[in-house]
Amino acid sequence: QSALTQPASVSGSPGQSITISCTGTSSDVGAYNYVSWYQQHPGKAPKLMIYEVSNRPSGVSNRFSGSKSGNTASLTISGLQAEDEADYYCCSYTSSSTWVFGGGTKLTVL
Amino acid sequence: QLQLQESGPGLVKPSETLSLTCTVSGGSISDANSYWGWIRQPPGMGLEWVGTIYYTGNSYYNPSLKSRVTISIDTSKNQFSLRLSSVTAADTAVYYCARHGKARIDYWGQGTLVTVPS
């Protein structure tokens, strides 16, 4: 299985909005609404930010939102804050009963 | 609050077998709503799903690692384990254990660095 495709980096200024894409295939992202997003700060374990495409776990800011169209999922962060600077990964369940991550996107808050 | 803790050697020689155990506390590993997985991250690189096991013993592996990976579960000890055989320097990574479902990985261990010298 191939890793999901994410941009290597994105950037934005405080207060702005950014969107990170995650492109897969009809066997993973396009097959189910089992896409999740993770935030990882350096030296830390990843943190769940979005699950089932667009659901936020308790405690995650509503500045984080997710969506999906066809084989591409997206994570949008609005009202960027300095603390949002981190690596972001998407993940999808697949039709082969496996899981696959995206390559990761480094978010820089300018 | 569910907690997961990885344990095992931090250094493994090339061609040998990497063995890690994840101890689950604050909840039961026999929870029918949970899968238990291993995810790894080479230094400076992205996350890679290694494999997952269900409390029944059903296991699922990354196709690229399948020939070398075995994940087992011990419900009496509330633990699950990873064995990765014939390791090389490319297997050097932080290994995380985690609880997940099909749609989310919601509890992660702190991660443990395993180094395979080249």
Side-chain angles (χ1 to χ4, degrees):
Chain A
Q1 60 189 20
S2 299
L4 307 176
T5 300
Q6 298 181 230
S9 63
V10 298
S11 62
S13 299
Q16 288 186 333
S17 296
I18 63 94
T19 296
I20 299 171
S21 61
C22 170
T23 301
T25 69
S26 58
S27 296
D28 39 62
V29 174
Y32 312 98
N33 286 330
Y34 292 152
V35 176
S36 51
W37 289 90
Y38 303 87
Q39 176 192 66
Q40 187 180 35
H41 287 111
K44 301 294 187 182
K47 174 186 176 184
L48 176 67
M49 305 302 285
I50 295 287
Y51 67 96
E52 290 177 356
V53 175
S54 60
N55 294 309
R56 276 188 313 276
S58 174
V60 172
S61 171
N62 59 9
R63 298 186 297 105
F64 291 83
S65 62
S67 63
K68 190 185 86 167
S69 177
N71 297 336
T72 298
S74 298
L75 172 71
T76 297
I77 308 173
S78 60
L80 268 180
Q81 299 179 0
E83 68 209 47
D84 300 331
E85 185 163 295
D87 294 326
Y88 291 84
Y89 295 91
C90 60
C91 180
S92 177
Y93 181 67
T94 83
S95 60
S96 300
S97 299
T98 61
W99 286 262
V100 61
F101 283 96
T105 299
K106 181 177 181 61
L107 169 62
T108 300
V109 180
L110 301 171
Chain B
Q1 176 79 343
L2 194 72
Q3 292 186 317
L4 296 90
Q5 178 67 57
E6 305 89 353
S7 59
L11 184 67
V12 181
K13 295 178 180 178
S15 79
E16 295 190 343
T17 297
L18 178 160
S19 295
L20 295 175
T21 295
C22 182
T23 300
V24 179
S25 58
S28 173
I29 205 168
S30 298
D31 175 7
N33 294 317
S34 299
Y35 292 83
W36 305 95
W38 290 95
I39 295 113
R40 71 180 184 177
Q41 185 171 34
M45 299 180 65
L47 300 171
E48 180 181 35
W49 175 73
V50 175
T52 288
I53 194 164
Y54 193 53
Y55 79 99
T56 56
N58 288 351
S59 55
Y60 313 85
Y61 300 130
N62 187 318
S64 68
L65 300 171
K66 190 172 184 176
S67 63
R68 300 194 291 129
V69 174
T70 303
I71 297 176
S72 58
I73 194 164
D74 187 335
T75 55
S76 67
K77 294 182 178 179
N78 234 32
Q79 295 176 332
F80 63 105
S81 299
L82 168 70
R83 288 174 58 85
L84 180 65
S85 64
S86 304
V87 298
T88 69
D91 295 309
T92 292
V94 174
Y95 285 77
Y96 294 100
C97 62
R99 183 191 87 161
H100 67 96
K102 289 182 178 179
R104 71 177 99 177
I105 306 170
D106 51 5
Y107 288 94
W108 297 71
Q110 65 184 22
T112 186
L113 175 63
V114 179
T115 300
V116 182
S118 54

Coordinates of all heavy atoms in Angstrom, one line a residue, chain B residues 54-96:
Chain B
Y54 N -6.5 -7.5 17.5 CA -7.8 -7.4 18.2 C -7.7 -8.4 19.4 O -6.9 -9.4 19.3 CB -8.9 -7.8 17.3 CG -10.3 -7.5 17.7 CD1 -10.6 -6.2 18.2 CD2 -11.3 -8.4 17.7 CE1 -11.9 -5.9 18.6 CE2 -12.6 -8.1 18.1 CZ -12.9 -6.9 18.6 OH -14.2 -6.6 18.9
Y55 N -8.5 -8.2 20.4 CA -8.4 -9.1 21.6 C -8.7 -10.6 21.3 O -8.2 -11.4 22.0 CB -9.4 -8.6 22.7 CG -10.8 -9.0 22.5 CD1 -11.3 -10.1 23.3 CD2 -11.7 -8.3 21.7 CE1 -12.6 -10.5 23.1 CE2 -13.0 -8.7 21.5 CZ -13.5 -9.8 22.3 OH -14.8 -10.1 22.1
T56 N -9.4 -10.8 20.2 CA -9.6 -12.2 19.8 C -8.3 -12.9 19.3 O -8.3 -14.1 19.1 CB -10.7 -12.3 18.7 OG1 -10.3 -11.5 17.6 CG2 -12.0 -11.8 19.3
G57 N -7.3 -12.1 19.0 CA -6.1 -12.6 18.4 C -6.0 -12.3 16.9 O -5.0 -12.6 16.3
N58 N -7.1 -11.9 16.3 CA -7.0 -11.5 14.9 C -6.0 -10.4 14.7 O -6.0 -9.4 15.4 CB -8.4 -11.0 14.3 CG -9.4 -12.2 14.2 OD1 -9.0 -13.3 14.3 ND2 -10.6 -11.8 14.0
S59 N -5.1 -10.5 13.7 CA -4.1 -9.5 13.5 C -4.0 -9.1 12.1 O -4.5 -9.8 11.2 CB -2.7 -10.1 13.9 OG -2.4 -11.3 13.2
Y60 N -3.5 -7.9 11.9 CA -3.5 -7.2 10.6 C -2.1 -6.5 10.5 O -1.6 -5.9 11.5 CB -4.6 -6.1 10.5 CG -5.9 -6.6 11.0 CD1 -6.3 -6.6 12.3 CD2 -6.8 -7.2 10.1 CE1 -7.5 -7.1 12.8 CE2 -8.1 -7.6 10.5 CZ -8.4 -7.6 11.8 OH -9.6 -8.1 12.3
Y61 N -1.4 -6.7 9.4 CA -0.1 -6.2 9.2 C 0.1 -5.3 8.0 O -0.5 -5.6 7.0 CB 0.9 -7.4 9.2 CG 0.9 -8.3 10.4 CD1 0.8 -9.7 10.3 CD2 1.0 -7.7 11.7 CE1 0.7 -10.5 11.4 CE2 0.9 -8.6 12.8 CZ 0.8 -9.9 12.6 OH 0.8 -10.7 13.7
N62 N 1.0 -4.4 8.1 CA 1.5 -3.6 7.0 C 2.0 -4.6 5.9 O 2.9 -5.4 6.2 CB 2.5 -2.6 7.4 CG 2.9 -1.6 6.3 OD1 3.0 -2.0 5.1 ND2 3.0 -0.4 6.6
P63 N 1.5 -4.6 4.7 CA 2.0 -5.5 3.7 C 3.5 -5.5 3.5 O 4.1 -6.5 3.2 CB 1.3 -5.1 2.4 CG 0.0 -4.4 2.9 CD 0.4 -3.7 4.2
S64 N 4.1 -4.3 3.6 CA 5.5 -4.1 3.4 C 6.4 -4.8 4.5 O 7.6 -5.0 4.3 CB 5.9 -2.7 3.3 OG 5.8 -2.0 4.5
L65 N 5.7 -5.1 5.6 CA 6.5 -5.7 6.8 C 5.9 -7.0 7.1 O 6.5 -7.7 8.0 CB 6.3 -4.7 8.0 CG 6.9 -3.3 7.9 CD1 6.4 -2.5 9.1 CD2 8.4 -3.4 7.8
K66 N 4.9 -7.5 6.5 CA 4.1 -8.7 6.9 C 5.0 -9.9 7.1 O 4.8 -10.7 8.0 CB 3.0 -8.9 5.9 CG 2.1 -10.0 6.3 CD 0.9 -10.1 5.3 CE -0.2 -11.1 5.8 NZ -1.3 -11.1 4.9
S67 N 6.0 -10.1 6.2 CA 6.8 -11.3 6.3 C 7.7 -11.3 7.6 O 8.2 -12.4 8.0 CB 7.7 -11.4 5.1 OG 8.6 -10.3 5.0
R68 N 7.9 -10.2 8.2 CA 8.8 -10.1 9.4 C 8.1 -9.7 10.7 O 8.7 -9.8 11.7 CB 9.8 -9.0 9.1 CG 10.7 -9.2 7.9 CD 11.9 -8.3 7.9 NE 11.6 -6.9 7.7 CZ 12.0 -5.9 8.5 NH1 12.7 -6.2 9.5 NH2 11.7 -4.7 8.2
V69 N 6.8 -9.4 10.7 CA 6.1 -8.9 11.8 C 5.2 -10.0 12.5 O 4.5 -10.7 11.7 CB 5.3 -7.7 11.5 CG1 4.4 -7.3 12.7 CG2 6.2 -6.6 11.1
T70 N 5.2 -10.0 13.8 CA 4.2 -10.8 14.5 C 3.8 -10.0 15.7 O 4.6 -9.4 16.5 CB 4.8 -12.1 15.1 OG1 5.3 -12.9 14.0 CG2 3.7 -12.9 15.8
I71 N 2.5 -9.8 15.8 CA 1.9 -9.1 17.0 C 1.1 -10.1 17.8 O 0.3 -10.9 17.2 CB 1.1 -7.9 16.6 CG1 1.9 -6.9 15.9 CG2 0.4 -7.3 17.8 CD1 1.2 -5.7 15.3
S72 N 1.2 -10.2 19.1 CA 0.5 -11.1 19.9 C -0.1 -10.3 21.1 O 0.2 -9.2 21.4 CB 1.4 -12.2 20.5 OG 2.5 -11.6 21.2
I73 N -1.1 -11.0 21.7 CA -1.8 -10.3 22.8 C -1.9 -11.3 24.0 O -2.1 -12.5 23.8 CB -3.2 -9.9 22.3 CG1 -3.8 -8.9 23.3 CG2 -4.1 -11.0 22.0 CD1 -5.0 -8.1 22.8
D74 N -1.8 -10.7 25.2 CA -1.9 -11.5 26.4 C -2.9 -10.8 27.3 O -2.6 -9.8 28.0 CB -0.6 -11.6 27.2 CG -0.6 -12.5 28.4 OD1 -1.7 -12.8 28.9 OD2 0.5 -13.0 28.8
T75 N -4.2 -11.3 27.2 CA -5.3 -10.6 27.9 C -5.1 -10.8 29.4 O -5.6 -9.9 30.2 CB -6.6 -11.2 27.5 OG1 -6.6 -12.6 27.6 CG2 -6.9 -10.8 26.0
S76 N -4.4 -11.8 29.9 CA -4.3 -12.0 31.3 C -3.4 -10.9 31.9 O -3.5 -10.6 33.1 CB -3.8 -13.4 31.6 OG -2.4 -13.6 31.1
K77 N -2.4 -10.5 31.1 CA -1.5 -9.4 31.6 C -1.9 -8.0 31.1 O -1.2 -7.1 31.4 CB -0.1 -9.8 31.1 CG 0.5 -11.0 31.7 CD 1.9 -11.3 31.3 CE 2.5 -12.5 31.9 NZ 3.9 -12.8 31.4
N78 N -2.9 -7.9 30.3 CA -3.3 -6.7 29.7 C -2.1 -6.1 28.9 O -1.8 -4.9 29.0 CB -3.8 -5.6 30.7 CG -5.1 -5.1 30.4 OD1 -6.0 -5.7 29.9 ND2 -5.4 -3.8 30.8
Q79 N -1.5 -6.9 28.1 CA -0.3 -6.5 27.3 C -0.5 -7.0 25.9 O -1.1 -8.1 25.6 CB 0.9 -7.1 27.9 CG 1.3 -6.6 29.2 CD 2.6 -7.3 29.8 OE1 2.9 -8.4 29.4 NE2 3.3 -6.6 30.6
F80 N 0.1 -6.3 24.9 CA 0.3 -6.9 23.6 C 1.8 -6.6 23.2 O 2.4 -5.7 23.7 CB -0.7 -6.3 22.6 CG -0.7 -4.8 22.4 CD1 -0.2 -4.3 21.2 CD2 -1.2 -4.0 23.3 CE1 -0.2 -3.0 21.0 CE2 -1.3 -2.6 23.1 CZ -0.7 -2.1 21.9
S81 N 2.2 -7.4 22.2 CA 3.7 -7.4 21.9 C 3.9 -7.3 20.4 O 3.1 -7.8 19.6 CB 4.4 -8.6 22.5 OG 4.2 -8.6 23.9
L82 N 5.1 -6.8 20.1 CA 5.5 -6.7 18.7 C 6.8 -7.5 18.6 O 7.7 -7.3 19.4 CB 5.7 -5.3 18.3 CG 6.5 -5.0 17.0 CD1 5.6 -5.4 15.8 CD2 6.9 -3.5 16.9
R83 N 7.0 -8.3 17.5 CA 8.2 -8.9 17.2 C 8.5 -8.6 15.7 O 7.6 -8.8 14.8 CB 8.2 -10.4 17.4 CG 8.2 -10.8 18.9 CD 8.1 -12.3 19.1 NE 9.1 -13.1 18.4 CZ 10.3 -13.4 18.9 NH1 10.6 -12.9 20.1 NH2 11.1 -14.1 18.2
L84 N 9.7 -8.1 15.4 CA 10.1 -7.7 14.1 C 11.4 -8.4 13.8 O 12.4 -8.1 14.5 CB 10.2 -6.2 13.9 CG 10.6 -5.7 12.5 CD1 9.5 -6.1 11.5 CD2 10.8 -4.2 12.5
S85 N 11.4 -9.3 12.9 CA 12.6 -10.2 12.7 C 13.5 -9.6 11.6 O 13.2 -8.7 10.9 CB 12.2 -11.6 12.3 OG 11.5 -11.5 11.0
S86 N 14.7 -10.1 11.6 CA 15.7 -9.7 10.6 C 15.8 -8.2 10.4 O 15.8 -7.7 9.3 CB 15.4 -10.4 9.2 OG 15.2 -11.8 9.4
V87 N 16.1 -7.5 11.5 CA 16.1 -6.0 11.5 C 17.3 -5.5 10.8 O 18.4 -6.2 10.8 CB 15.9 -5.4 12.9 CG1 14.6 -5.8 13.5 CG2 17.1 -5.8 13.8
T88 N 17.2 -4.3 10.2 CA 18.3 -3.6 9.6 C 18.2 -2.2 10.1 O 17.3 -1.8 10.9 CB 18.2 -3.6 8.1 OG1 17.1 -2.8 7.7 CG2 18.1 -5.0 7.5
A89 N 19.2 -1.4 9.7 CA 19.2 0.0 10.2 C 17.9 0.8 9.8 O 17.5 1.7 10.4 CB 20.5 0.7 9.6
A90 N 17.3 0.3 8.7 CA 16.1 0.9 8.3 C 14.9 0.8 9.2 O 13.9 1.4 9.1 CB 15.7 0.4 6.9
D91 N 15.1 -0.1 10.2 CA 14.0 -0.4 11.2 C 14.3 0.5 12.4 O 13.5 0.5 13.4 CB 14.0 -1.8 11.6 CG 13.6 -2.7 10.5 OD1 12.5 -2.5 9.9 OD2 14.3 -3.7 10.2
T92 N 15.3 1.3 12.4 CA 15.5 2.3 13.5 C 14.4 3.3 13.5 O 14.1 3.9 12.5 CB 16.9 3.0 13.3 OG1 17.9 2.1 13.5 CG2 17.0 4.1 14.3
A93 N 13.7 3.4 14.7 CA 12.6 4.3 14.7 C 12.1 4.4 16.2 O 12.5 3.6 17.1 CB 11.4 3.7 13.9
V94 N 11.3 5.4 16.4 CA 10.5 5.5 17.6 C 9.2 4.6 17.4 O 8.6 4.8 16.4 CB 10.0 6.9 18.0 CG1 9.1 6.9 19.2 CG2 11.3 7.7 18.3
Y95 N 9.0 3.6 18.3 CA 7.9 2.7 18.1 C 6.9 3.1 19.2 O 7.1 3.2 20.4 CB 8.3 1.3 18.3 CG 9.1 0.7 17.2 CD1 10.4 1.1 16.9 CD2 8.5 -0.1 16.3 CE1 11.1 0.6 15.8 CE2 9.1 -0.6 15.1 CZ 10.5 -0.3 14.9 OH 11.1 -0.8 13.8
Y96 N 5.7 3.4 18.7 CA 4.5 3.7 19.5 C 3.5 2.6 19.6 O 3.2 2.0 18.5 CB 3.8 4.9 19.0 CG 4.5 6.2 18.9 CD1 5.1 6.7 17.7 CD2 4.6 7.1 20.1 CE1 5.7 7.9 17.7 CE2 5.2 8.3 20.0 CZ 5.8 8.7 18.8 OH 6.5 9.9 18.8

